Amino acid sequence: MRVLVTGATGFIGSAIVEELINAGHQVLGLARSDAGAKSLIAGGAEVHRGSLEDLESLRRGAASADGVIHTAFIHDFSNYGPAAEADRRAIETLGGALAGSDRPLIVTSGTLLVQRQGSIATEEDVHNPTFPRKSEEAALALAARGVHASVLRLPPSVHGNGDHGFVPRLISIAREKGVSAYIGNGLNRWPAVHRLDAAHLYRLALEKGTAGVSYHGVGDEGVPTREIAEVIGRHLNLPVVSKSREEAADHFGWIARFFGIDGPASSALTQERLGWRPTQVGLIDDLNAEHYFEHAADAVALHG
């Protein structure tokens, strides 16, 4: 298949590009810059110049493809509403170019964005309408109109070498504050997945997925946040302490809202439907690798 990948040069997108090429697919990667285009070419992909705001570039790219994987998102938390709206328009544009065919569109969302019906979020839980990000609503609306659109939900931690998401931010905060902290009793749980397992799931969803269905890219169903803080403290030789919810906002900043969530999620239905099996190391084992402590990036890529 000839596959358009948005976010193709990102932490997750670059792994998807490699996964697709290794499986014999032809990849058309969306690139905003010359540097991005150069990295795509070096990885064996074709380049499609454009951006999420350039809807005509998205339409042309999707029209020339046999399928689309949409991972790009503008991670500007100071302007989250406009970023969410740009994402919604991009999804509608991509879907419009695929309308009238059986060409698949895989849209990225997050496990923390579901309206949970039980203690562990499943693929059958619906999107929480109070969140401003409307990726799932846009994708499912397209599916209702006959577009072969499905949703792939990622956990808050997609980990691996080169991660610049939540965990590196927690490491940076620990270095800055001189303690590695968790909130309350630290028993609230974060689901996680290795980026290579996630990339494999995107390919399976592209090749075998069903329209209108949500899939969960979850390896660890729920890692207690205290365990995350303890690993960070051990590697940085810092005390591990609890912060009350009142103290958390000052200590963690905006990330406190997410670090305090108890959001375990299952991928049992996804594994059953697509035959996907996570095979890479889990979050705690990956955190114990030295690459997480060589540096801690301040940029955060949020998936949920």
Side-chain angles (χ1 to χ4, degrees):
M1 295 173 65
R2 178 178 169 85
V3 186
L4 173 68
V5 179
T6 73
T9 60
F11 176 62
I12 300 168
S14 58
I16 294 171
V17 169
E18 183 177 2
E19 170 79 21
L20 291 172
I21 290 174
N22 288 343
H25 294 290
Q26 182 181 5
V27 174
L28 184 64
L30 185 70
R32 293 176 297 171
S33 66
D34 291 341
K38 184 177 180 180
S39 69
L40 285 169
I41 293 170
E46 294 182 42
V47 175
H48 181 72
R49 294 302 291 261
S51 67
L52 289 187
E53 298 96 333
D54 184 352
L55 299 182
E56 178 55 26
S57 73
L58 297 180
R59 187 198 64 76
R60 285 187 285 104
S64 70
D66 300 313
V68 177
I69 293 177
H70 175 54
T71 70
F73 190 83
I74 302 169
H75 297 287
D76 182 356
F77 293 98
S78 63
N79 291 287
Y80 195 75
E85 176 60 18
D87 180 58
R88 185 192 63 79
R89 290 195 302 266
I91 292 168
E92 290 183 347
T93 299
L94 294 167
L98 300 174
S101 72
D102 61 355
R103 293 174 292 164
L105 168 63
I106 315 300
V107 170
T108 303
S109 183
T111 62
L112 292 186
L113 302 184
V114 302
Q115 183 72 58
R116 292 169 58 203
Q117 301 301 314
S119 60
I120 298 180
T122 76
E123 295 88 338
E124 294 183 338
D125 289 330
V126 299
H127 180 268
N128 188 332
T130 65
F131 280 89
R133 184 169 177 175
K134 304 299 180 184
S135 310
E136 294 198 22
E137 286 96 327
L140 297 179
L142 289 169
R145 302 204 307 264
V147 177
H148 196 290
S150 59
V151 172
L152 201 158
R153 295 170 178 161
L154 294 175
S157 179
V158 180
H159 57 90
N161 200 350
D163 183 1
H164 54 275
F166 276 125
V167 169
R169 182 62 190 139
L170 291 172
I171 293 171
S172 291
I173 292 169
R175 283 181 166 143
E176 175 189 345
K177 303 287 187 175
V179 296
S180 180
Y182 55 90
I183 300 172
N185 61 16
L187 297 181
N188 60 300
R189 296 156 290 176
W190 266 19
V193 70
H194 194 281
R195 68 190 287 258
L196 299 183
D197 284 326
H200 183 53
L201 179 56
Y202 273 99
R203 178 170 69 83
L204 292 178
L206 179 82
E207 296 172 345
K208 301 169 26 177
T210 301
V213 170
S214 295
Y215 299 106
H216 278 191
V218 174
D220 293 312
E221 285 194 355
V223 179
T225 56
R226 180 170 182 165
E227 290 188 20
I228 297 172
E230 286 172 345
V231 173
I232 293 172
R234 184 164 62 251
H235 278 266
L236 298 182
N237 195 27
L238 293 174
V240 179
V241 302
S242 170
K243 295 290 182 180
S244 69
R245 293 201 173 271
E246 293 74 23
E247 296 170 323
D250 180 63
H251 182 84
F252 292 105
W254 63 266
I255 200 176
R257 173 185 175 190
F258 300 98
F259 197 45
I261 291 175
D262 183 38
S266 168
S267 62
L269 290 176
T270 296
Q271 294 189 42
E272 177 184 335
R273 290 165 176 167
L274 296 180
W276 176 67
R277 298 290 185 273
T279 60
Q280 303 295 322
V281 297
L283 176 59
I284 294 300
D285 285 343
D286 205 9
L287 263 178
N288 277 310
E290 287 303 318
H291 65 82
Y292 263 102
F293 297 92
E294 292 170 353
H295 61 84
D298 288 327
V300 173
L302 174 64
H303 307 293

